[in-house]
Amino acid sequence: YCDGNGEDSDGESCVHCDGSGKKKCDDCSGSGKIPCSNCDESGKITCPDCEGSGNISCSDCDGDGRVDCPDCS
């Protein structure tokens, strides 16, 4: 944890993704599939945004899971 003196070069865990570097995909709500009216009987296709994983890279930490300490920035 950074005490504000700039010595913690790794930064702090990103609060937006809990340090995982990933967020739930908004387009498919984390399922990895989206509705398709012209598809097979399942009616769903792989989500193009998350490529079926259900997660996208966190934009707040650029997928790193760490952010710069606001006191040191």
Side-chain angles (χ1 to χ4, degrees), residues 56-72:
I56 57 170
S57 184
C58 177
S59 58
D60 294 292
C61 65
D62 295 324
D64 187 41
R66 311 289 285 168
V67 292
D68 291 333
C69 172
D71 295 331
C72 298

Side-chain angles (χ1 to χ4, degrees), residues 4-24:
N5 64 7
E7 291 179 6
D8 184 5
S9 61
D10 290 337
E12 299 179 341
S13 285
C14 178
V15 296
H16 301 279
C17 66
D18 295 323
S20 70
K22 300 203 177 284
K23 287 182 171 180
K24 181 169 70 170

Side-chain angles (χ1 to χ4, degrees), residues 27-60:
D27 280 359
C28 67
S29 300
S31 71
K33 301 280 187 183
I34 57 172
C36 174
S37 58
N38 299 328
C39 298
D40 59 19
E41 61 267 355
S42 73
K44 299 202 177 221
I45 59 170
T46 300
C47 177
D49 278 358
C50 68
E51 298 176 343
S53 72
N55 295 304
I56 57 170
S57 184
C58 177
S59 58
D60 294 292

